[in-house]
Every structure is written in C-alpha cells, then in structure tokens.
C-alpha cells in the first residue's frame, strides 16, 4: 500500500470560482434584503445581482458601493482582501478543514478584485475538499490565466489533486511534476509524485526523491518514510540483484517502516507494509543470519493484526493477509514435523 498526500496535504492556495445556483445563496439574500427597493437603489441592486450572476465581482462591489454614495479606496480594498484571505487560509488549514468558510472568504476577496490568484486558489482548494471537482478545475483554469498563475507551484499541485480524484492519473502525475519543477522543495507535491514513481515501478527515482525528502528537506512524516520503505522493497525485485545488496535493501526497508511508526504510532500503512515485507521476503536477513521462517511469518501476522486495529484500516484485506501468513506458518510447521519424524526413523534404523 502506498501513501499519497491527498486530503491531508497543506496547500498554499484557494478554491474555484465555480457557481451552480444551489450553492450560490448570495443572490437570494440580496434579493430578500432589497425586495422593497425602488428607483436608483433598485437599479444598483439589479446591477449588483447581474454582476454576481456573471461572476463580475468588481462590478458588483462598485454597484453596491454606490448605494452608500461612496467608492472603496484602494487601501480599503487591499485591507479587505487581506482580511478575507487570512480567514480563508485559517479555515482551510484546520483539521478537518472548514471548506464552507474558506470558500465564502475567498469569494468575498474575489468580490473586491477578480484578479486575486491567492483567492482563486483558496476557492479551488475549498471546492476540492467538498468534492466539487469540476468547480475546482474551472477555477484553476481561470487562475492559470492570471499573470502569475503559470509560475505558481500550488496551482499545479491542486490540479494534481483534482486529476487524481477524477481518475486522470497521467495528468495528475504531470501536474505534480510541474509543481516540483516550479518549487523543487515543495514537500506535498514531491510526496505525491513519488507515489507515481512507485506505482510505475520507477523505484530508483522514488528512492532518490524520498531520500531527499527525509534527508535534506527534513520531512518527518510517516507517509514519506513509509513510501521510502516501499521504494527500497521495490528495488529488491530487480533481476540479477546480488544477494548481499538485496539483504541490505530488505534491512533498509524494515528500518524505514519502523522509523515511520515513531513519527505516527497510528499510521496504519507502515504496519501493513511491515507485514508484507516479512510475508514476502524469504529468506529475511537478521543480525544472526537468516530469520527463522516461523518467526518471520509470526512477525508478518503480528503486523497485519496491528494494522487491522488502526483507524481507517481495510480490515478485510488485513484478515486475508493474516490468513495467508497463518497458512504458510502451519505448512512450515507440518514440514518440520515430517522432517523430525523422518529423522527419528532414520536414527532408529541406524541403532538396530
């Protein structure tokens, strides 16, 4: 099992400008608030409603400002945008994220200026969290057309999340790659790009990426360390790999998975991967030589049991793997018992 940073990633960005009627209460509220308006007031209200429906937020602000007989100064606009963006950022950084507030604050900022890249990214992020992937993608496409859009790593990271969520794997990988080309230290994008290296058996690239993440970049997340362990394990399947090198890679994988559990004791994927490691690697190296087969299989079963108790565990898969480990364990015991009986019969014949 691989770990992709999806809903847990920290994104410097916002979510889409998308507008379907059932998720757009602003117009309805304005209509109720000014139901009795007439004359010039009604003209400005109608202009504001039309501008909101057309997503021309600057025109909407101008129309509403005229109701009070004044325009917002540039300083007032900047102060409002900053305040809205700070609220959006806080809301989306919560665990779990407050997507509703993030979207509302991003829209409020965009009502002042349609050109705020940060507001667009927060809007896209919020829509992604809520599962409105088409809206998120629409906003990102608009954000990409802004002057700084094509040089923003967060924008392409969000594209990657949306593409991944909608099953467009190749586009997701290329988006994560684009994000890391714009910011080679972008940890979340590197983690997700590494997952695709592992999925496509590019283990050496994955090892290089995750060793950099967990080394120079100081990533101490269980996800990154677990994926590094998976990359080491993948390398052990290379054809023609010398036995000594394979032993070293197996021990590296074991130590890396165990290190992951020190960063998050409830990170189930690390335990599952340890179970798979012990189950598949025969023989498995240890300080005193090859690990005893019964001990190896018992270790596999223990880690699958640990995994099954973790939050969000796939208990069905865990039980299946435990059953495989138990079956192999029982088979090994039978083989040893038969071997022991043959040896006893041989000794009896010799003693006659």
């Amino acid at each position: 099992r691989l770990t992709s940073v999806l809903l847990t990633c920290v994104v410097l960005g916002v979510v889409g400008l998308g507008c379907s009627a059932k998720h757009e209460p602003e117009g309805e509220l304005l209509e109720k608030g000014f139901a009795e308006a007439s004359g010039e007031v009604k003209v400005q209200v109608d202009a504001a409603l039309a501008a909101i429906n057309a997503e021309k937020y600057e025109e909407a602000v101008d129309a509403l400002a005229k109701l009070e007989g004044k325009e917002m100064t540039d300083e007032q606009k900047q102060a409002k945008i900053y305040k809205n963006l700070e609220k959006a950022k806080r809301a989306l950084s919560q665990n779990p994220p407050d997507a509703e507030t993030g979207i509302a604050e991003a829209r409020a900022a965009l009502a002042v200026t349609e050109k705020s890249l940060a507001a667009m990214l927060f809007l896209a992020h919020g829509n992604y969290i809520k599962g409105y992937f088409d809206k998120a993608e629409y906003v990102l496409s608009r954000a990409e057309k802004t002057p700084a859009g094509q040089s923003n790593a967060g924008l392409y990271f969000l594209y990657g999340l949306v593409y991944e969520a909608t099953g467009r794997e190749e586009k997701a990988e290329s988006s994560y790659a684009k994000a890391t080309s714009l910011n080679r230290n972008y940890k979340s994008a590197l983690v997700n790009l590494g997952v695709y290296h592992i999925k496509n058996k590019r283990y050496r690239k994955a090892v290089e990426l995750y060793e950099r993440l967990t080394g120079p970049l100081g990533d101490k997340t269980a996800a990154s360390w677990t994926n590094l362990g998976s990359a080491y394990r993948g390398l052990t399947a290379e054809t023609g790999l010398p036995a000594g090198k394979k032993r070293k890679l197996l021990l590296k994988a074991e130590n890396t998975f165990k290190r992951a559990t020190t960063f998050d004791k409830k990170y189930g994927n690390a335990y599952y991967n340890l179970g798979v490691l012990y189950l598949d690697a025969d023989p498995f190296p240890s300080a005193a030589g090859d690990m005893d087969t019964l001990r190896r299989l018992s270790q596999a079963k223990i880690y699958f049991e640990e995994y099954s108790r973790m939050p969000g565990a796939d208990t069905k898969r865990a039980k299946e793997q435990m059953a495989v480990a138990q079956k192999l364990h029982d088979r090994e015991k039978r083989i040893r018992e038969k071997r022991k009986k043959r040896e006893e019969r041989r000794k009896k014949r010799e003693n006659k």
Side-chain angles (χ1 to χ4, degrees), residues 48-307:
L49 289 171
I52 289 173
N53 289 332
E55 295 184 348
K56 296 179 179 179
Y57 297 112
E58 288 184 342
E59 291 183 16
V61 170
D62 291 341
L64 293 174
K66 288 176 183 178
L67 289 174
E68 300 177 3
K70 64 178 182 180
E71 302 278 352
M72 289 179 69
T73 66
D74 288 343
E75 291 78 7
Q76 288 172 328
K77 287 181 179 180
Q78 290 302 316
K80 185 178 187 309
I81 292 168
Y82 178 81
K83 185 177 180 181
N84 292 138
L85 293 181
E86 281 296 302
K87 287 182 178 179
K89 181 180 178 180
R90 283 198 302 271
L92 295 171
S93 297
Q94 293 176 16
N95 188 17
D98 180 357
E100 293 285 357
T101 299
I103 289 172
E105 294 298 334
R107 283 177 174 163
L110 288 167
V112 179
T113 174
E114 293 181 299
K115 299 176 182 179
S116 172
L117 175 59
M120 290 183 193
L121 294 179
F122 284 130
L123 181 56
H125 189 189
N127 278 308
Y128 164 77
I129 291 169
K130 290 181 71 65
Y132 302 152
F133 303 127
D134 55 341
K135 286 187 177 184
E137 187 173 353
Y138 170 70
V139 178
L140 290 172
S141 68
R142 292 190 61 169
E144 194 174 15
K145 294 174 184 176
T146 63
Q150 294 184 22
S151 61
N152 187 283
L155 185 151
Y156 291 100
F157 177 72
L158 277 169
Y159 257 135
L161 295 179
V162 171
Y163 288 143
E164 191 167 353
T166 52
R168 290 172 284 177
E169 300 288 330
E170 289 185 7
K171 284 192 171 186
E173 182 179 359
S174 64
S175 295
Y176 294 137
K178 175 75 171 178
T180 60
S181 71
L182 292 170
N183 179 359
R184 63 186 307 270
N185 296 333
Y186 196 164
K187 293 181 181 179
S188 294
L190 286 167
V191 171
N192 287 8
L193 179 60
V195 169
Y196 282 97
H197 287 328
I198 295 174
K199 281 183 177 181
N200 294 298
K201 299 184 178 180
R202 299 189 294 262
Y203 299 119
R204 292 192 180 279
K205 283 189 174 183
V207 166
E208 181 182 351
L209 185 153
Y210 286 116
E211 282 186 343
R212 181 166 165 263
L213 259 175
T214 58
L217 294 183
D219 191 330
K220 297 187 184 301
T221 61
S224 291
W225 284 82
T226 299
N227 288 357
L228 176 57
S230 294
Y232 286 142
R233 188 169 84 82
L235 282 177
T236 66
E238 282 191 350
T239 304
L241 187 70
K245 192 167 185 180
K246 182 174 182 178
R247 291 173 64 87
K248 287 181 181 179
L249 285 169
L250 286 170
L251 290 171
K252 269 189 170 183
E254 178 188 38
N255 291 333
T256 304
F257 289 139
K258 288 182 177 179
R259 185 76 183 277
T261 66
T262 67
F263 296 122
D264 185 351
K265 295 186 184 301
K266 293 187 177 181
Y267 190 70
N269 285 348
Y271 295 92
Y272 183 88
N273 277 282
L274 276 165
V276 171
L277 185 69
Y278 289 125
L279 183 63
D280 288 351
D282 183 17
F284 193 90
S286 69
D290 291 340
M291 185 182 291
D292 177 75
T293 301
L294 291 178
R295 183 186 167 210
R296 174 177 64 81
L297 294 169
S298 292
Q299 285 291 100
K301 188 178 176 185
I302 287 169
Y303 280 112
F304 288 133
E305 287 174 344
E306 288 269 9
Y307 165 73

